[in-house]
Amino acid sequence: MTARHTAARLFVAPATLGIVLLALADPAGAHVSVTPTETAAGAYTLLTVSVPHGCDGSATTKVEIQVPEQILSVTPTRNPLWTVTKTKAKLDEPLTDAHGNKVTERDGTIVYQARSPLPEGYRDAFELSLKLPEEEGATLAFPTIQTCEKGETAWVEVPTGSQDPEELEHPAPAVTITAAEGADAHGADSVESGETETAGVSSNALGGVGLGVGLLGLIAGGAALVRVRRRV
């Protein structure tokens, strides 16, 4: 078998696999979804809520995102094609926020109202900045109501027990919180890691110098050999 044929076979297999994966991802892509930049417990994250289509062909006019009860404050990113407002929800009991302040209400919903309807066949995304709760393993659902020129779609279904979210017709966008990371940027772990990294860089630099010296010696030896042969 020639090298060209082997390369062709190696190329076809991954390409075929990619097509299969895209086909499997298509159904999920039809849902309103949320993508976090960070999922560690207690971390700050930027959530991107994506709206991929309208309601049975009708253009989208409003997107209302419900904030989970575990989250006190959300900072939405402004979108030039939409107006954005926040509504408050009363807390059953006052809580203390990350700055030590007593709070009696939280951000309940984030509402994006289209300045002009989002047509079917086009998508848009909405960013929310927030701090994740200290609840490793918990799943935060962000029920979202998509209002269109004709009708609406309520992405509010939350799986129960071991139910697969993909079995739901209109699953709510959700984020699963992972294990908390190590010490923060000012912690001992970070300092030790920085020292180790610095040492690693120094070792690599020394190794590079040694390699350079060796190459120079090899070149000098080769030049000397050429001169000897010419004399002979």
Side-chain angles (χ1 to χ4, degrees), residues 28-161:
H31 301 161
V32 168
S33 61
V34 60
T35 304
T37 56
E38 178 62 72
T39 59
Y44 286 90
T45 187
L46 186 66
L47 304 181
T48 300
V49 178
S50 300
V51 177
H53 56 72
C55 310
D56 295 328
S58 180
T60 301
T61 58
K62 185 174 71 172
V63 176
E64 178 181 321
I65 305 167
Q66 299 175 16
V67 181
E69 294 181 358
Q70 301 95 315
I71 296 174
L72 295 179
S73 177
V74 175
T75 302
T77 300
R78 296 179 63 183
N79 186 316
L81 299 177
W82 306 72
T83 59
V84 57
T85 56
K86 294 194 291 186
T87 63
K88 295 291 185 178
K90 290 289 185 181
L91 294 172
D92 294 334
E93 296 181 4
L95 296 175
T96 302
D97 65 14
H99 303 287
N101 303 314
K102 290 288 185 180
V103 294
T104 58
E105 59 183 11
R106 65 179 182 84
D107 291 336
T109 61
I110 309 298
V111 180
Y112 282 90
Q113 185 77 43
R115 297 183 186 276
S116 61
L118 175 66
E120 169 72 11
Y122 291 83
R123 66 180 296 277
D124 212 333
F126 312 96
E127 294 180 338
L128 309 176
S129 176
L130 54 89
K131 185 177 185 294
L132 295 173
E134 301 280 356
E135 299 180 39
E136 178 184 338
T139 297
L140 298 178
F142 293 80
T144 300
I145 309 296
Q146 179 185 7
T147 303
C148 299
E149 291 181 322
K150 294 181 180 179
E152 70 173 29
T153 302
W155 304 93
V156 298
E157 298 177 6
V158 178
T160 58

Side-chain angles (χ1 to χ4, degrees), residues 7-31:
R9 292 184 62 183
L10 291 175
F11 173 78
V12 170
T16 304
L17 176 60
I19 293 173
V20 173
L21 292 177
L22 286 174
L24 293 175
D26 258 348
H31 301 161

